[in-house]
Structures are given as C-alpha cells and as structure tokens.
Amino acid sequence: DTAVSQTPKYLVTQMGNDKSIKCEQNLGHDTMYWYKQDSKKFLKIMFSYNNKELIINETVPNRFSPKSPDKAHLNLHINSLELGDSAVYFCASSLWTSGSHEQYFGPGTRLTVT
Amino acid sequence: GDSVTQMEGPVTLSEEAFLTINCTYTATGYPSLFWYVQYPGEGLQLLLKATKADDKGSNKGFEATYRKETTSFHLEKGSVQVSDSAVYFCALRRGGTSYDKVIFGPGTSLSVIP
C-alpha cells in the first residue's frame, strides 16, 4: 500500500550516460513534483505537473526532461549525466483541489555519477 | 522573492530536553506555513501546518504558532526522544489558488542522545 514509490532506490552510473527515474503514486492526487536534494540536505524544486500538464519548470539544465504519461506517474530522464547531478531525487504528489497543499514524498532515488 | 530561513544545525540535545528550532519567512500576502520532517534514509513527511495568523499546528508533541507580526513559525517540543532525530524543514506556500511552489528552508538536523 505504498503511497508514492520511486524506482530505482539507488543508481550508480558513469558520466555521459543517460538514465531514467520512475515515480508512481496511488493516492489519487492530481499534482506531482520532482525535487533534488544535495549533500547538505538543501531541497530544490525542479518540475511540477498538474493533470499531466507542466506547471512549474525551474531553472534546470535541458538535460533533465520530465514526462507524465498519466496523473499517477511522473518520470525523470537525464541525458549526458555529470558529476554535479549526484544527489537524492525525490518525487512528491499532492491533491491541488483539496486546498491543503500537503505534499507526500517518495523514499528518494540516490544517484551517484562517477 | 519569498524565502524561509532556519537556524543552522546540527542541533544536539539530550533525551527529554526542550527543543526549539527557529524559522522565519519572507513572503507577500498570507502564506501557509509547514514543518516537514525527514528521518534518515526516508523522504519528507508533513509534521504540522498552519494556514493563517495565530493558528497553532501540532502533532506528535510538536507545536508551532503562525506569528505574522514577527513572520515566524518556530517549532517546539517539550521533551525530545531519540526517535525524534531527523532533519526538520520549515516551508511556506503563498496563498491563493494559482499553481505555486512550496518553498523549503535549508533544514535543521537534530540529534537526540540518550
């Protein structure tokens, strides 16, 4: 009965590779997010989708491309990985129409680029 | 722009000590305020929230009061336990119905020792 799940949990890859992280939520939420957390725990929003429509797109390199095939899924594809992409990536979801704006986070994907 | 400032960590306390983690914010209008907690190896989860001035959010023995006059939302707990060891994030979201992001503070790491 996992609410927000991410795969994989750990991802180790070399510079220059392309990788994807998948996220699924079974809460019936209409809004999903990708965050990047650096080694100092600082959390930065990257993207947000509402009903499959991109609504927040922060200053993120073009190498990062989100895709939302439906309301329950939000994937993140990263091209030409760089050392600085090493971080923990969190997916989150919320129900915008509820008005509470509480976000539910997944367990994170720890990406290590060598 | 909107921002959240938290006291720097790490904070180390003995079990049963009193906890205060300071949080101040800068925002236009009347934002909603949140405290999220991140336990080791996990994603963030909502601890408590307040949506208007003088509201007090509370959960699991933690409390925070929305003080508009001092633009603060300090987190307090009367007697901490080892299990409270985590990173605590103060956050805000501007009011209104537009699609807007949640702004997180830098996080404060808390270690409680027996």
Side-chain angles (χ1 to χ4, degrees):
Chain A
D1 59 344
T2 304
V4 182
S5 60
Q6 296 179 227
T7 54
K9 191 166 174 61
Y10 301 96
L11 187 52
V12 181
T13 188
Q14 292 184 327
M15 283 174 55
N17 284 349
D18 303 339
K19 290 294 178 186
S20 291
I21 307 172
K22 296 182 183 240
C23 177
E24 176 180 1
Q25 55 93 3
N26 63 4
L27 298 167
H29 288 170
D30 55 10
T31 307
M32 297 183 73
Y33 312 80
W34 277 114
Y35 288 90
K36 179 181 180 181
Q37 186 175 50
D38 64 22
S39 58
K40 295 186 178 179
K41 301 294 186 183
F42 186 77
L43 201 64
K44 176 182 163 65
I45 180 92
M46 301 173 70
F47 303 102
S48 177
Y49 274 76
N50 175 264
N51 287 318
K52 302 195 298 174
E53 181 183 344
L54 183 65
I55 56 171
I56 294 175
N57 186 355
E58 292 293 289
T59 306
V60 175
N62 291 339
R63 301 181 293 104
F64 291 80
S65 53
K67 277 193 173 52
S68 181
D70 55 57
K71 287 196 301 184
H73 296 85
L74 179 61
N75 304 323
L76 182 66
H77 187 75
I78 316 170
N79 288 326
S80 304
L81 278 154
E82 300 177 357
L83 292 176
D85 298 332
S86 295
V88 181
Y89 291 84
F90 286 100
C91 176
S93 71
S94 68
L95 183 61
W96 196 268
T97 52
S98 73
S100 77
H101 306 298
E102 173 180 355
Q103 295 189 13
Y104 291 75
F105 284 76
T109 295
R110 182 175 293 276
L111 171 65
T112 303
V113 183
T114 61
Chain B
D2 297 351
S3 66
V4 176
T5 304
Q6 293 179 233
M7 61 187 287
E8 281 194 30
V11 174
T12 302
L13 294 174
S14 296
E15 211 165 16
E16 298 184 4
F18 185 86
L19 169 71
T20 298
I21 300 179
N22 290 337
C23 170
T24 56
Y25 67 90
T26 303
T28 54
Y30 301 92
S32 294
L33 302 174
F34 308 86
W35 276 101
Y36 280 82
V37 58
Q38 183 179 25
Y39 297 104
E42 297 183 10
L44 281 71
Q45 54 185 276
L46 182 68
L47 182 59
L48 52 85
K49 67 178 182 182
T51 57
K52 60 182 187 297
D54 299 325
D55 264 4
K56 178 186 280 189
S58 61
N59 186 23
K60 299 181 181 179
F62 291 88
E63 291 184 341
T65 301
Y66 189 143
R67 302 282 188 205
K68 187 156 179 64
E69 63 277 12
T70 53
T71 61
S72 65
F73 193 53
H74 304 322
L75 182 68
E76 296 182 336
K77 187 175 185 183
S79 175
V80 293
Q81 305 301 312
V82 172
S83 57
D84 294 326
S85 298
V87 181
Y88 292 81
F89 293 88
C90 186
L92 72 82
R93 184 196 167 271
R94 275 185 280 176
T97 57
S98 63
Y99 297 122
D100 216 342
K101 60 189 176 187
V102 172
I103 296 171
F104 288 87
T108 302
S109 176
L110 169 67
S111 291
V112 180
I113 53 177

